[in-house]
Amino acid sequence: MFSNTDKFLKDFQTIVNIDSSSDHLPGIEQVALFFQKRFSDIGFTAEILFQGDAKVPCLQAIFGPGNSPGGGHGPVYDLMFLGHMDTVFPFGEVEKRRFSIQGDKALGPGVCDMKGGLLVVLHVLETLKKEGVLDKMSVCVAFNGDEETGSKASKGWIQSIAGKSRRVFVFEPCRPGYKMVSQRKGGGWFHVSVTGKEAHAGADPDKGINAVVELANQIIAIDRLNDPDTGTSAQVTVVAGGDKVNIIPNKAVASVDVRIERLEEKQRVETFFNTLCERTVLPGSKILVEGKIDRPPMEITPESQALLDVIFLEGKKMGIDVSSIATGGCSDGNFTSALGTPTIDGMGLVGANSHRQDEYVELASIPIMVNLISNVCKALI
Ligand SMILES: [Zn+2]
């Protein structure tokens, strides 16, 4: 059983006080070096991989030989532990507000999203090592350095490990009240450009094609994509068009934020946008659409529900009422879940206000989460 919260807090101070903004690669590498050493100390093969053209530091730590039933096919790892080392806060943020403890909370840049979660992974695995349980497991830890900017460089690497894993635990923050995340919406952005024809608004209105009017018609059609029953939303968030009050505009553009709960909605939404150019309202106007749904939804499956049941039961044994929620935001769990690997997210420390100055975690959740996840691992192997 884990009980050394002081050691956890010392580690917490160390890594929160390293600026690791997504665009500050030396800081991300410094965080990776901290974990590389600690995972190596308990027998992991830990290395820092530099992903993509941007050479984003990512930590990969592997333990155990891997036990692939059926001679080389099928999963290699019992568990993938997934997290990100980057934060949304710019270089210099640490100097302004270093790691601190105030009352029953810990504060500092990335304390909740998600340096606390990274330390839950480390302390769970250190605890399991000490108890001799780790030696029966095969585990892959993957901490990337570009989650906050969409995991462009690390996505392929994450998916390749998830494809070799029986299950994935993602250590984004746990919601207050011990609510984990079992569903996340997927989504993407679309940009709609309309071309019309310029003309004098007063003298020659019949010679013009009003791009703003065409776009306005299309915006109404886009708005009808919203469907609360399927959990799909399509919000027109940015609109621009026209230049001078007496000129019929020949250009108008709109940007649309789309979120989906179900994978089959991807087809419906993408088909809608890809055929928009065939449904112009004003003769002579032209529509060009760019964009796609590039983040699949993290859906609840019978396999992920079974995993949740194990987690809820282990929580109950500890006297903690663990539950799960669905959320609109995306994480790397969206990518692993889309491969069909059962994925549970929100397994980090309990906290709130991510991406804000008043971000915090509840200190009481440190021993609870480390012991809960350790117990879940023991129940699974
Ligand atoms: Zn995060």
Side-chain angles (χ1 to χ4, degrees):
M1 199 177 124
F2 166 88
S3 57
N4 199 342
T5 300
D6 286 346
K7 189 173 176 214
F8 189 109
L9 288 175
K10 196 168 160 275
D11 293 339
F12 215 177
Q13 178 167 27
T14 302
I15 64 165
V16 171
N17 285 345
I18 299 170
D19 271 311
S20 62
S21 165
S22 307
D23 61 3
H24 182 55
L25 302 187
I28 297 169
E29 188 175 353
Q30 223 184 316
V31 176
L33 282 164
F34 169 90
F35 284 104
Q36 184 186 30
K37 167 153 198 335
R38 291 287 286 273
F39 282 118
S40 300
D41 286 350
I42 52 169
F44 277 74
T45 304
E47 50 188 327
I48 299 174
L49 307 172
F50 295 89
Q51 300 288 349
D53 294 341
K55 305 237 176 301
V56 177
C58 295
L59 179 89
Q60 175 178 288
I62 294 171
F63 190 92
N67 48 348
S68 174
H73 301 290
V76 174
Y77 307 115
D78 296 317
L79 266 164
M80 174 183 186
F81 289 76
L82 179 54
H84 63 85
M85 300 179 286
D86 59 324
T87 76
V88 294
F89 299 106
F91 180 80
E93 186 79 9
V94 165
E95 227 14 75
K96 286 188 225 154
R97 46 185 192 102
R98 299 181 77 78
F99 177 82
S100 68
I101 290 171
Q102 284 176 28
D104 54 2
K105 295 183 171 75
L107 311 173
V111 79
C112 175
D113 183 15
M114 57 170 280
K115 289 182 170 172
L118 301 180
L119 284 178
V120 171
V121 175
L122 176 65
H123 285 262
V124 162
L125 294 170
E126 285 180 346
T127 302
L128 293 174
K129 176 69 185 175
K130 213 185 294 172
E131 294 176 349
V133 180
L134 186 62
D135 297 318
K136 299 179 209 155
M137 299 170 65
S138 90
V139 171
C140 186
V141 176
F143 291 167
N144 62 343
D146 60 348
E147 194 270 348
E148 297 291 3
T149 51
S151 306
K152 288 183 190 74
S154 62
K155 183 178 161 183
W157 167 69
I158 287 171
Q159 286 177 318
S160 76
I161 298 168
K164 290 185 271 185
S165 302
R166 284 202 180 87
R167 33 186 106 82
V168 180
F169 288 170
V170 189
F171 290 80
E172 294 283 358
C174 189
R175 305 303 195 268
Y178 294 92
K179 293 182 174 68
M180 296 188 173
V181 178
S182 53
Q183 286 167 280
R184 285 181 181 274
K185 287 189 177 185
W189 291 321
F190 292 87
H191 303 284
V192 180
S193 312
V194 177
T195 306
K197 200 171 162 204
E198 224 169 46
H200 192 295
D204 298 316
D206 51 325
K207 290 189 183 150
I209 300 168
N210 193 321
V212 167
V213 173
E214 175 64 41
L215 182 64
N217 277 281
Q218 299 304 335
I219 286 172
I220 301 295
I222 291 165
D223 199 53
R224 288 198 199 105
L225 281 173
N226 283 288
D227 183 357
D229 288 342
T230 55
T232 296
S233 72
Q235 294 297 315
V236 179
T237 45
V238 182
V239 174
D243 192 20
K244 293 209 167 68
V245 71
N246 58 353
I247 300 175
I248 291 175
N250 69 342
K251 287 264 181 273
V253 292
S255 299
V256 190
D257 178 290
V258 175
R259 306 283 163 135
I260 55 169
E261 261 174 36
R262 300 185 198 160
L263 196 55
E264 67 255 28
E265 282 287 280
K266 174 177 155 70
Q267 176 102 50
R268 180 176 81 95
V269 171
E270 288 188 336
T271 303
F272 171 89
F273 280 104
N274 291 338
T275 56
L276 209 61
C277 59
E278 297 161 19
R279 295 193 300 279
T280 52
V281 176
L282 302 186
S285 63
K286 288 194 179 65
I287 296 177
L288 179 76
V289 178
E290 287 168 283
K292 60 180 177 184
I293 291 184
D294 51 5
R295 287 155 297 167
M298 182 178 132
E299 294 185 272
I300 197 150
T301 62
E303 292 79 15
S304 65
Q305 184 59 54
L307 251 186
L308 274 179
D309 290 342
V310 173
I311 296 166
F312 295 166
L313 180 66
E314 291 305 318
K316 207 169 174 186
K317 288 185 197 164
M318 292 170 61
I320 308 289
D321 187 13
V322 182
S323 58
S324 72
I325 55 154
T327 166
C330 294
S331 84
D332 286 328
N334 290 63
F335 300 131
T336 62
S337 162
L339 296 172
T341 309
T343 299
I344 306 294
D345 201 345
M347 303 189 82
L349 295 179
V350 175
N353 303 344
S354 294
H355 298 194
R356 287 169 29 173
Q357 308 271 329
D358 58 352
E359 169 188 16
Y360 70 88
V361 292
E362 297 174 9
L363 293 173
S365 71
I366 293 174
I368 291 172
M369 288 310 292
V370 174
N371 284 313
L372 175 62
I373 310 297
S374 304
N375 293 345
V376 167
C377 292
K378 287 180 216 169
L380 290 173
I381 57 163

